[in-house]
Coordinates of all heavy atoms in Angstrom, one line a residue:
E224 N -2.0 -15.1 -51.3 CA -3.3 -15.7 -51.5 C -4.3 -15.3 -50.2 O -5.1 -16.0 -49.8 CB -3.2 -17.3 -51.4 CG -2.5 -17.8 -52.5 CD -2.4 -19.4 -52.6 OE1 -2.8 -20.0 -51.7 OE2 -1.9 -19.9 -53.6
V225 N -4.1 -14.0 -50.0 CA -5.0 -13.4 -49.1 C -5.8 -12.4 -49.9 O -5.3 -11.5 -50.6 CB -4.2 -12.5 -47.9 CG1 -5.3 -11.9 -47.1 CG2 -3.4 -13.5 -47.1
D226 N -7.2 -12.5 -49.9 CA -8.0 -11.5 -50.5 C -7.9 -10.1 -49.9 O -8.1 -9.9 -48.7 CB -9.4 -12.1 -50.3 CG -10.5 -11.3 -51.1 OD1 -10.0 -10.6 -52.1 OD2 -11.8 -11.3 -50.7
F227 N -7.5 -9.2 -50.9 CA -7.2 -7.9 -50.3 C -8.4 -6.9 -51.0 O -8.5 -6.9 -52.3 CB -6.0 -7.3 -50.7 CG -5.7 -5.9 -50.3 CD1 -5.8 -5.5 -49.1 CD2 -5.3 -5.0 -51.3 CE1 -5.7 -4.2 -48.6 CE2 -5.1 -3.7 -50.9 CZ -5.4 -3.3 -49.7
V228 N -8.9 -6.2 -50.1 CA -10.1 -5.3 -50.6 C -9.5 -3.8 -50.3 O -9.2 -3.6 -49.2 CB -11.4 -5.5 -49.9 CG1 -12.4 -4.4 -50.2 CG2 -12.0 -6.8 -50.4
G229 N -9.5 -2.9 -51.4 CA -8.9 -1.6 -51.1 C -9.5 -0.6 -52.1 O -10.4 -1.0 -52.8
S230 N -8.8 0.5 -52.3 CA -9.3 1.6 -53.0 C -8.1 2.0 -53.9 O -7.1 2.7 -53.2 CB -9.9 2.6 -52.2 OG -10.0 3.8 -53.0
L231 N -8.1 1.8 -55.0 CA -6.9 2.1 -56.0 C -7.3 3.1 -57.1 O -8.3 2.8 -57.9 CB -6.2 1.0 -56.5 CG -4.9 1.3 -57.2 CD1 -3.8 1.8 -56.3 CD2 -4.4 0.1 -57.8
A232 N -6.8 4.5 -57.2 CA -7.1 5.2 -58.1 C -6.7 4.7 -59.6 O -5.7 4.0 -59.6 CB -6.4 6.5 -57.9
D233 N -7.5 4.8 -60.6 CA -7.1 4.4 -61.8 C -6.4 5.6 -62.7 O -7.2 6.4 -63.2 CB -8.4 3.9 -62.7 CG -8.0 3.3 -64.0 OD1 -6.8 3.4 -64.4 OD2 -9.0 2.6 -64.6
N234 N -5.1 5.5 -62.7 CA -4.4 6.7 -63.3 C -4.6 6.7 -64.9 O -4.8 7.8 -65.3 CB -2.9 6.5 -63.2 CG -2.5 6.7 -61.7 OD1 -3.1 7.4 -61.0 ND2 -1.4 6.1 -61.3
A235 N -4.9 5.6 -65.5 CA -5.4 5.7 -66.8 C -6.7 6.3 -67.1 O -6.9 7.2 -68.0 CB -5.3 4.3 -67.5
S236 N -7.6 6.0 -66.3 CA -8.9 6.6 -66.4 C -8.8 8.1 -66.2 O -9.4 8.8 -66.8 CB -9.9 6.0 -65.4 OG -10.2 4.7 -65.7
K237 N -8.0 8.4 -65.2 CA -7.8 9.8 -64.9 C -7.3 10.6 -66.0 O -7.8 11.7 -66.4 CB -6.8 10.1 -63.8 CG -7.4 10.2 -62.3 CD -6.4 10.7 -61.3 CE -6.6 10.0 -60.0 NZ -5.4 10.4 -59.3
A238 N -6.3 10.0 -66.7 CA -5.6 10.6 -67.7 C -6.6 10.9 -68.9 O -6.5 11.8 -69.7 CB -4.5 10.0 -68.2
N239 N -7.4 9.9 -69.1 CA -8.4 9.8 -70.3 C -9.6 10.5 -70.1 O -10.3 11.0 -71.1 CB -8.7 8.5 -70.6 CG -7.5 7.7 -71.3 OD1 -6.8 8.3 -72.1 ND2 -7.3 6.5 -70.9
G240 N -10.0 10.6 -68.6 CA -11.3 11.1 -68.3 C -11.4 12.6 -68.4 O -10.9 13.3 -69.1
G241 N -12.3 13.2 -67.5 CA -12.5 14.6 -67.4 C -13.8 14.8 -68.0 O -14.2 14.2 -68.9
Q242 N -14.6 15.6 -67.3 CA -15.9 15.8 -67.8 C -16.1 16.5 -69.1 O -15.2 17.4 -69.5 CB -16.7 16.7 -66.8 CG -17.1 15.9 -65.5 CD -18.1 16.6 -64.6 OE1 -18.1 17.8 -64.5 NE2 -18.9 15.9 -63.7
G243 N -17.0 16.1 -69.9 CA -17.2 16.9 -71.2 C -16.2 16.5 -72.2 O -16.0 17.1 -73.2
R244 N -15.7 15.1 -72.1 CA -14.8 14.5 -73.0 C -15.2 13.1 -73.4 O -15.8 12.5 -72.5 CB -13.3 14.5 -72.5 CG -12.6 15.8 -72.5 CD -11.5 15.7 -71.6 NE -10.5 14.7 -71.9 CZ -9.4 14.9 -72.5 NH1 -9.2 16.2 -73.0 NH2 -8.5 14.0 -72.7
F245 N -15.0 12.8 -74.4 CA -15.4 11.4 -75.0 C -14.5 10.5 -74.0 O -13.3 10.6 -74.0 CB -15.0 11.1 -76.4 CG -16.0 11.5 -77.4 CD1 -15.7 11.7 -78.8 CD2 -17.4 11.8 -76.9 CE1 -16.7 12.0 -79.7 CE2 -18.3 12.3 -78.0 CZ -17.9 12.4 -79.3
P246 N -15.2 9.5 -73.4 CA -14.3 8.6 -72.7 C -13.5 7.6 -73.5 O -13.8 7.4 -74.7 CB -15.3 7.7 -71.8 CG -16.7 7.8 -72.6 CD -16.5 9.2 -73.3
I247 N -12.5 6.9 -73.0 CA -11.6 6.0 -73.7 C -12.3 5.0 -74.5 O -11.9 4.5 -75.6 CB -10.4 5.5 -72.9 CG1 -9.6 4.5 -73.6 CG2 -11.0 4.6 -71.8 CD1 -8.2 5.1 -73.8
N248 N -13.4 4.4 -73.9 CA -14.2 3.3 -74.5 C -14.8 3.7 -75.9 O -15.3 2.9 -76.6 CB -15.1 2.6 -73.6 CG -16.2 3.6 -73.1 OD1 -16.3 4.6 -73.6 ND2 -16.9 3.1 -72.0
M249 N -14.7 5.0 -76.3 CA -15.3 5.4 -77.6 C -14.1 5.4 -78.5 O -14.4 5.7 -79.8 CB -15.9 6.7 -77.5 CG -17.1 6.8 -76.7 SD -18.0 8.4 -76.6 CE -18.7 8.4 -78.2
F250 N -12.9 5.0 -78.2 CA -11.8 4.9 -79.1 C -11.5 3.3 -79.3 O -11.3 2.7 -78.3 CB -10.6 5.7 -78.6 CG -10.8 7.2 -78.5 CD1 -11.7 7.6 -77.3 CD2 -10.2 8.1 -79.4 CE1 -11.9 9.0 -77.3 CE2 -10.5 9.4 -79.3 CZ -11.3 9.8 -78.3
V251 N -11.3 2.9 -80.5 CA -10.9 1.5 -80.7 C -9.5 1.4 -80.8 O -8.8 2.0 -81.7 CB -11.8 1.1 -81.9 CG1 -11.5 -0.4 -82.3 CG2 -13.2 1.3 -81.8
Y252 N -9.0 0.5 -80.2 CA -7.5 0.1 -80.3 C -7.2 -0.9 -81.3 O -7.9 -1.9 -81.4 CB -7.0 -0.4 -78.8 CG -5.7 -0.7 -79.0 CD1 -4.6 0.2 -79.3 CD2 -5.0 -2.0 -78.6 CE1 -3.2 0.0 -79.3 CE2 -3.8 -2.4 -78.7 CZ -2.8 -1.4 -79.0 OH -1.5 -1.7 -79.1
D253 N -6.2 -0.5 -82.2 CA -6.0 -1.5 -83.4 C -4.5 -1.9 -82.9 O -3.6 -1.2 -83.2 CB -5.8 -0.5 -84.7 CG -5.5 -1.5 -85.9 OD1 -4.9 -2.6 -85.7 OD2 -5.9 -1.1 -86.9
A254 N -4.5 -3.2 -82.6 CA -3.2 -3.8 -82.0 C -2.2 -4.0 -83.2 O -1.0 -3.8 -82.9 CB -3.4 -5.1 -81.3
E255 N -2.7 -4.3 -84.3 CA -1.9 -4.5 -85.5 C -1.1 -3.3 -85.8 O 0.1 -3.3 -86.1 CB -2.7 -5.0 -86.7 CG -2.0 -6.3 -87.3 CD -3.0 -6.8 -88.4 OE1 -3.1 -6.3 -89.3 OE2 -3.7 -7.8 -87.9
R256 N -1.8 -2.2 -85.9 CA -1.0 -0.9 -86.2 C -0.6 -0.1 -85.1 O 0.0 0.9 -85.2 CB -2.0 -0.1 -87.1 CG -2.4 -0.8 -88.3 CD -3.2 0.2 -89.3 NE -4.5 0.5 -88.7 CZ -5.3 1.4 -89.0 NH1 -5.0 2.2 -90.0 NH2 -6.6 1.4 -88.6
N257 N -0.8 -0.6 -83.9 CA -0.6 0.0 -82.6 C -1.0 1.5 -82.6 O -0.2 2.5 -82.6 CB 0.9 0.0 -82.3 CG 1.4 0.6 -80.9 OD1 0.4 0.4 -80.0 ND2 2.4 0.9 -80.7
C258 N -2.3 1.7 -82.8 CA -2.8 3.0 -82.8 C -4.3 2.9 -82.3 O -4.9 1.9 -82.2 CB -2.9 3.7 -84.2 SG -4.0 2.9 -85.4
F259 N -5.0 4.1 -82.1 CA -6.3 4.2 -81.6 C -7.1 4.7 -82.9 O -6.5 5.6 -83.6 CB -6.7 4.9 -80.5 CG -6.5 4.2 -79.1 CD1 -5.3 4.0 -78.5 CD2 -7.6 3.6 -78.8 CE1 -5.1 3.3 -77.4 CE2 -7.5 2.7 -77.5 CZ -6.2 2.7 -76.8
V260 N -8.5 4.4 -83.0 CA -9.3 5.0 -84.0 C -10.4 5.6 -83.3 O -11.0 5.1 -82.4 CB -9.8 3.9 -85.1 CG1 -10.7 4.7 -86.1 CG2 -8.6 3.3 -85.7
C261 N -10.5 7.0 -83.6 CA -11.5 7.8 -82.8 C -12.9 7.7 -83.5 O -13.1 7.0 -84.6 CB -11.0 9.3 -82.8 SG -11.2 10.1 -84.3
P262 N -14.0 8.3 -82.8 CA -15.4 8.2 -83.4 C -15.4 8.8 -84.7 O -16.4 8.5 -85.4 CB -16.1 8.9 -82.3 CG -15.4 8.7 -81.1 CD -13.8 8.8 -81.3
S263 N -14.5 9.7 -85.1 CA -14.6 10.2 -86.4 C -13.8 9.4 -87.4 O -13.6 9.9 -88.6 CB -13.9 11.7 -86.4 OG -14.9 12.6 -86.1
G264 N -13.2 8.4 -87.0 CA -12.5 7.5 -87.9 C -11.1 7.9 -88.1 O -10.3 7.4 -88.9
K265 N -10.6 8.9 -87.4 CA -9.2 9.3 -87.5 C -8.3 8.6 -86.6 O -8.7 8.0 -85.5 CB -9.0 10.8 -87.0 CG -10.0 11.7 -87.8 CD -9.5 12.0 -89.2 CE -10.4 13.0 -90.0 NZ -10.2 12.8 -91.4
Q266 N -7.0 8.4 -87.0 CA -6.1 7.6 -86.3 C -5.4 8.6 -85.0 O -4.9 9.7 -85.5 CB -4.8 7.2 -87.2 CG -4.8 5.8 -87.3 CD -3.5 5.4 -88.2 OE1 -2.3 5.7 -87.9 NE2 -3.9 4.8 -89.3
L267 N -5.2 8.0 -84.0 CA -4.3 8.5 -83.0 C -3.1 7.7 -82.9 O -3.1 6.5 -82.5 CB -5.1 8.5 -81.6 CG -6.1 9.6 -81.3 CD1 -7.4 9.2 -82.1 CD2 -6.5 9.6 -79.8
K268 N -2.0 8.3 -83.3 CA -0.7 7.6 -83.3 C 0.1 7.5 -82.0 O -0.1 8.2 -81.1 CB 0.2 8.2 -84.4 CG -0.3 8.1 -85.8 CD 0.7 8.6 -86.8 CE 0.1 8.5 -88.3 NZ 0.7 9.5 -89.2

Side-chain angles (χ1 to χ4, degrees):
E224 298 179 356
V225 176
D226 184 22
F227 176 59
V228 169
S230 164
L231 187 67
D233 186 347
N234 291 330
S236 296
K237 261 195 219 167
N239 289 317
Q242 279 189 339
R244 280 156 65 90
F245 279 162
I247 177 107
N248 59 12
M249 292 186 71
F250 296 75
V251 179
Y252 180 58
D253 183 336
E255 226 170 77
R256 292 187 291 165
N257 191 24
C258 70
F259 274 89
V260 178
C261 75
S263 270
K265 304 289 184 196
Q266 237 186 64
L267 279 75
K268 288 188 181 156

